Amino acid sequence: MNIRLAVHCPLQNTLLVIVALLICIISGCRKPAPAPVTVTFLDAGWLQPDELPRAERESREFTRETGIAIQQSPVPETLFSSLDPLPQLDLLRRVLQQSGPSPDVLGIDVIWPGILADNLIDLRPYFATELSSQDPQLVSSYTVHGKVVAVPYHTHVAVLEYRTDLLREYGYSHPPKTWDELESMAARIQAGERAKGRKEFWGYVWEGAATEGLTCNALEWQVAEGGGRIVEDDETISVNNPAAIRAWQRAARWIGRISPPGVLAYRETDSLNVWDSGNAAFRRSWEWGYRLTHPSESPVRDKTGYTSMPGGRGGRAGTLGGYGLAVSRSSAHPREAVALIRFLIEREAGSKTAPSHAEPGAEPQFYDLPQILQANAPSPQLSQQSSRLVSRPSNVTGHAYEDVSQAYFQTVHSVLTGERRAPMAAAALEKRLVAITGFKTGLPKTWK
């Protein structure tokens, strides 16, 4: 009996060990599964009230498809209501220069690549196929010394809003294609509406405050006249030329004639308020404007059309704006960040080709839109002639762009107010830009 127990006990112990090991393997001795990666995303536009439902939906879809979570970096509420890009630039600078990991994916304005390039990775190797199908001018705006620092996401192009009902009433078959046509049409419609007792009605409203918005406006005027791009791609300062001077002088004549004196203080929301009140025939806007629903009480909600900005001897030109998506050099998850960007740009492309479900009569009319927008607004009224996309000289001037743009819009504003004569202002601006950039002076590339 004792011998049998001595033999059985070691065998029993061995069986117990084996059973314990099996239980351990099945139920818990394995290493716990790694926690899902979380990508941080900083983009003020994604958190705008009208974009938030879409952002939340896409965030859920991305996590479901990839297992990667998205955490939206907090953005000060003041940035939601501001259309000025500079406060957003200051925020990005702070987060990119702080110690430790910064947000993985960032939305950056089209004029920021030259300023932020040192803190962003080159995305060309990851998006070669997608970039090859984009407009070359658009891609070049996000390229710094051959490095693509952001992938185009929300592209904005300047367009002209027009009152479809008033054009018909005053006998016009199409919106203005040139600045000469806009002046004559705006003056005639304004006179007719004021004769009806609408003393606050104006022919053309736009953004004339001394801000980045004026840089966009004035650049369109002078490029259409053949006056170049302020600073050319070859680092030539070209702004001091007769065509640019003529363009500024033309705009100065609008003040008090077809544009209200107060336009010199207008920002985007100011001109929009005038438009929504029904007190303008034409308004300079951005293509994203037709995605927005005017207030239901607005008398122009169903009477709005969109076309390319007018042109002149240099053709039609619309300033390029919008945002791209970038990856921080200090990102803790660059592979996942690239995956998020690819997901978002694919969803953006899909949203442009999806059928519209707008209510009957709610869609505006489109006419002669730039080629880059024709996929967004298919219409038999679209012309084969498209306006040029004009990018601000932010890449060529790099970190100096803020000073370059400020010098430019302050100079143009002084001409519009009558404080300075255009030829003298252009000459002084040329000297100032040389001091800021160290570049040489010359003629614009469009000069004939």
Side-chain angles (χ1 to χ4, degrees):
M1 184 69 177
N2 292 336
I3 295 173
R4 291 179 61 188
L5 286 173
V7 173
H8 177 70
C9 288
L11 178 62
Q12 188 179 39
N13 291 339
T14 301
L15 291 174
L16 289 173
V17 170
I18 293 173
V19 170
L21 287 173
L22 288 173
I23 294 173
C24 184
I25 292 172
I26 293 172
S27 64
C29 286
R30 291 171 297 178
K31 292 182 179 180
V37 171
T38 297
V39 173
T40 54
F41 187 20
L42 175 57
D43 181 4
W46 225 44
L47 296 177
Q48 290 282 358
D50 57 328
E51 289 287 337
L52 192 56
R54 174 183 173 183
E56 292 174 342
R57 182 179 66 253
E58 291 183 344
S59 180
R60 290 193 299 269
E61 291 175 358
F62 176 72
T63 300
R64 184 171 60 249
E65 291 184 13
T66 66
I68 303 169
I70 301 176
Q71 178 182 346
Q72 297 173 356
S73 296
V75 176
E77 289 186 11
T78 53
L79 295 187
F80 292 148
S81 59
S82 173
L83 294 173
D84 187 347
L86 293 182
Q88 298 178 34
L89 174 59
D90 290 339
L91 173 64
L92 281 187
R93 277 175 167 156
R94 289 198 302 272
V95 300
L96 286 172
Q97 294 170 2
Q98 66 188 6
S99 60
S102 61
D104 300 291
V105 178
L106 309 104
I108 70 168
D109 194 284
V110 71
I111 59 175
W112 297 343
I115 299 173
L116 302 175
D118 293 343
N119 300 107
L120 306 172
I121 71 170
D122 184 6
L123 294 176
R124 189 185 296 276
Y126 305 98
F127 295 95
T129 301
E130 292 86 349
L131 293 171
S132 65
S133 63
Q134 294 275 9
D135 185 284
Q137 182 68 34
L138 178 59
V139 175
S140 69
S141 297
Y142 292 102
T143 305
V144 181
H145 302 307
K147 172 182 171 182
V148 178
V149 299
V151 178
Y153 181 41
H154 285 158
T155 301
H156 302 158
V157 181
V159 291
L160 183 73
E161 280 185 303
Y162 62 93
R163 285 283 297 274
T164 56
D165 58 328
L166 293 180
L167 261 63
R168 287 192 297 269
E169 180 179 341
Y170 289 89
Y172 298 114
S173 60
H174 58 78
K177 296 182 179 180
T178 67
W179 287 111
D180 286 340
E181 288 183 347
L182 181 138
E183 287 179 346
S184 62
M185 293 167 72
R188 183 181 174 205
I189 295 173
Q190 176 179 301
E193 293 303 293
R194 290 190 174 188
K196 299 176 185 178
R198 304 183 61 191
K199 302 303 182 183
E200 299 301 316
F201 190 93
W202 291 94
Y204 182 43
V205 292
W206 39 283
E207 302 76 45
T211 65
E212 184 69 25
L214 182 55
T215 293
C216 297
N217 277 265
L219 183 60
E220 291 160 2
W221 306 334
Q222 70 180 54
V223 169
E225 190 65 23
R229 205 167 67 97
I230 309 171
V231 181
E232 307 298 327
D233 285 333
D234 63 356
E235 299 186 349
T236 298
I237 297 171
S238 61
V239 72
N240 184 19
N241 67 79
I245 291 169
R246 286 196 304 271
W248 301 353
Q249 290 171 328
R250 176 199 288 275
R253 293 194 298 269
W254 297 339
I255 311 300
R257 296 177 63 191
I258 61 173
S259 299
V263 79
L264 294 173
Y266 278 12
R267 297 172 183 256
E268 194 82 26
T269 52
D270 300 307
S271 63
L272 179 60
N273 288 338
V274 175
W275 181 261
D276 276 337
S277 69
N279 282 326
F282 301 101
R283 172 179 177 257
R284 193 271 186 197
S285 185
W286 293 97
E287 60 86 18
W288 53 259
Y290 70 70
R291 299 181 183 178
L292 303 179
T293 301
H294 289 294
S296 58
E297 67 274 12
S298 171
V300 299
R301 181 179 181 184
D302 301 326
K303 303 172 184 177
T304 299
Y306 290 83
T307 186
S308 294
M309 293 302 296
R313 65 188 69 188
R316 303 176 78 167
T319 301
L320 179 65
Y323 283 78
L325 298 177
V327 176
S328 168
R329 285 186 61 186
S330 60
S331 166
H333 308 289
R335 182 176 64 84
E336 290 81 5
V338 167
L340 175 57
I341 292 178
R342 178 166 283 110
F343 174 87
L344 291 175
I345 63 175
E346 287 176 355
R347 288 298 187 277
E348 176 73 2
S351 70
K352 292 179 179 179
T353 57
S356 173
H357 300 289
E359 298 177 3
E363 288 293 321
Q365 295 184 21
F366 306 103
Y367 191 95
D368 280 349
L369 283 179
Q371 187 70 34
I372 195 172
L373 300 182
Q374 294 192 16
N376 297 357
S379 166
Q381 291 181 299
L382 288 174
S383 160
Q384 297 302 312
Q385 299 294 324
S386 61
S387 66
R388 295 170 52 196
L389 293 181
V390 179
S391 58
R392 286 159 280 177
S394 54
N395 284 1
V396 67
T397 56
H399 291 279
Y401 177 71
E402 287 178 88
D403 293 333
V404 168
S405 181
Q406 186 175 61
Y408 179 72
F409 65 63
Q410 287 176 344
T411 297
V412 174
H413 196 262
S414 71
V415 173
L416 298 178
T417 60
E419 178 185 346
R420 304 169 74 182
R421 296 179 60 248
M424 297 176 61
L429 175 61
E430 180 183 63
K431 292 180 180 179
R432 188 173 175 187
L433 295 184
V434 168
I436 291 172
T437 65
F439 296 164
K440 62 183 181 300
T441 62
L443 297 177
K445 294 302 179 183
T446 54
W447 186 262
K448 302 295 183 182

